[in-house]
Amino acid sequence: MTLKNYWLMKSEPSAFSFDDLRKAKSQTTSWDGVRNYQARNTMRDSMQVGDGVLFYHSNADPPCIPGIAEVVREGYADHTAFDPKDSHYDPKSRKESPIWYVVDIKFVKAFKEPVTLPKIRATKELQKMVLVRPGSRLSVQPVTRQEWEIILRLGGIGREK
DNA sequence: GCCAACGTTGGC
DNA sequence: GCCAACGTTGGC
């Protein structure tokens, strides 16, 4: 048995919001368009079905985590890289040797109260989150189990399952 | 809208 | 392999 891991994934709500995920077909989406190698590696190599995901709204006012999702499909090729008409098209990525990967995530639950970035910054136990590390811009990043539980408590969900 | 910090690109 | 220039991210 493998232990469940936790992650945080950033999205600009104007591009794709947590509510978009809730309303999506099967409440599921493929996390496409990521063009950063570190984030790619995380999705390709580390994220597993059942892992918990904090959905983060960047460039929002205030930036916040509105709720949680879960990984429902592990890393596979990002098809948007193959499509010349797609804004994320990358001619260097070929179907026989893809460069970019996605995972699928599914809506799990909205927080009673979104956990805002100022709230996270003000919470002592969350000072070491990758999210608030100075200079960190990673769009897919690891979250510790402790951080996960604190965020859920702040969001009003409490202990999950 | 500004701009600092970061990642990538490409000339040499 | 260095590093300047450029594009992007994302908080404010």
Side-chain angles (χ1 to χ4, degrees):
Chain A
M1 187 196 85
T2 324
L3 272 178
K4 180 171 171 174
N5 289 303
Y6 302 95
W7 313 96
L8 179 146
M9 301 176 102
K10 294 180 185 175
S11 183
E12 298 203 17
S14 59
F16 189 83
S17 71
F18 191 57
D19 208 43
D20 291 333
L21 179 63
R22 184 180 58 79
K23 291 186 290 197
K25 188 178 172 213
S26 304
Q27 298 192 313
T28 298
T29 194
S30 68
W31 205 258
D32 56 28
V34 171
R35 297 293 178 266
N36 169 280
Y37 286 102
Q38 206 176 337
R40 185 277 311 264
N41 292 348
T42 300
M43 292 199 288
R44 186 189 60 187
D45 306 331
S46 304
M47 297 178 79
Q48 296 178 297
V49 169
D51 283 356
V53 173
L54 299 173
F55 196 108
Y56 180 79
H57 279 169
S58 60
N59 264 312
D61 188 19
C64 70
I65 300 168
I68 57 174
E70 68 176 334
V71 177
V72 292
R73 182 173 172 190
E74 289 168 19
Y76 61 101
D78 183 344
H79 62 93
T80 65
F82 305 137
D83 180 359
K85 293 189 293 294
D86 195 282
S87 62
H88 297 293
Y89 176 56
D90 182 354
K92 293 193 296 301
S93 186
R94 285 166 292 119
K95 286 188 181 172
E96 57 278 17
S97 56
I99 296 176
W100 304 113
Y101 284 75
V102 297
V103 296
D104 288 357
I105 66 165
K106 181 172 186 174
F107 177 93
V108 171
K109 197 163 191 182
F111 287 154
K112 290 198 184 84
E113 191 180 349
V115 180
T116 67
L117 183 59
K119 181 78 180 177
I120 291 169
R121 289 197 195 282
T123 303
K124 194 172 169 234
E125 302 92 318
L126 298 177
Q127 295 307 300
K128 290 196 173 149
M129 280 189 79
V130 175
L131 181 69
V132 294
R133 193 171 295 168
S136 169
R137 303 189 316 193
L138 254 189
S139 63
V140 179
Q141 54 181 253
V143 170
T144 69
R145 182 175 150 81
Q146 288 75 15
E147 290 162 354
W148 170 267
E149 288 179 355
I150 292 163
I151 297 278
L152 261 60
R153 208 180 311 136
L154 290 175
I157 288 186
R159 199 183 178 82
E160 186 204 21
K161 286 179 190 165

